Structure formats: structure tokens, C-alpha cells
Amino acid sequence: MSESRMRTQLADATRGMAQQMIFWGHDVRHPDGNALVRFGLVRRPSTGLQGTSCYSAEWEDGLIELHGTVASWTAPSGKCGCIYCRDRKLITVWNSDQPPVPGRHDAPAAAPAQRWEAFQPLLRWVVRYEEWIASQFQPSFRTSIWKTIRRLPKGKPWLAPTSAIQWWTLALSGTPPRPKQLSPQA
């Protein structure tokens, strides 16, 4: 795949992760209880941002962590993990065996192919989580959040929830289409 196409794919995934973080923010306030905790993540105070939480779970011999501004997969020692920084609109590699601390991390530069490869464990976790959400809640749960994003003056929704999971799944195969090819913004 060309470097240009890889950059485009990372940009699309970055927009998807921005929407995904909004979904997770709503999931913690679900009327039936915190969906992230129900899925198996452990909640603790964030070490980076006062008054916020961090959700973590072991995944593929590493550690998934979700903060308000950062989502990451910290790889086992000697391997390359990834970090998504919401404020920087960036998916990149994470080369430490310690999870990133929001506001106190330096996301290193890396080639697009390396960034995409490092993103794969987090991407697999997102797909697994969204499949679980679909099995636990009515489709209207995600759709209502997405419609709320659309109504905000500065809201920039990515894909409707069913198209989003389709894109994430196709991204796992390495051949996601451009989001606008998947679905109308219904």
C-alpha cells in the first residue's frame, strides 16, 4: 500500500477514534450501569488528569487504557504499542513498557506503516467491544449518541454506528474504504 493511502487510512481511523471516545464517555453513564466496567475494564483515578478516570484491561499480552484524552495499547516489553491522542488528532506508536500518562507523554514520530501496524491491537479491541455493545444494547443506544453529535454546533460525527463497525472490521483486513463510500450520513 502506498504511503499516501496509509496516511489517509490513519486519518480516517483518527476521526473514528474521536467519535469512539465520545461513545465511551456515554457508555460510562449508561442507565444499566457503566458499560466499560460491565465489559471487564477496571476503573481507577487517572494519573494524568485530576477528576477523571482511567479504564484498563489486559489485552493481547499488553494493556488497553482509556482516558478522557488518550486511548492506548501498551505492548509487552520489547514490542511496539500505540497511542491515540484526541487533542493532537494522532494515532502513533508507543515505545514504552509503561502506559502513557495524559498530559505527560511524548508521542514519537513514526512512518505511517509502523503507526498502522502498532494500532492493530487497539483496533481489534475496539471491534470486540463494539460487537459486545451491539449484543447488549438496542441499536438506538449508539444511534442516539451519534445523532446528538450531529446536532452539536461543532459536532463532527464520523460514521453512523453500523457503518462505523463495518469500517473498523474492514480496517482489520487492511482494506477499509473511505468512510463516505460506506454509508450516507443518515
Side-chain angles (χ1 to χ4, degrees), residues 108-123:
Q114 185 183 14
R115 292 167 50 206
W116 185 254
E117 183 63 29
F119 179 58
Q120 296 309 292
L122 182 56
L123 175 57

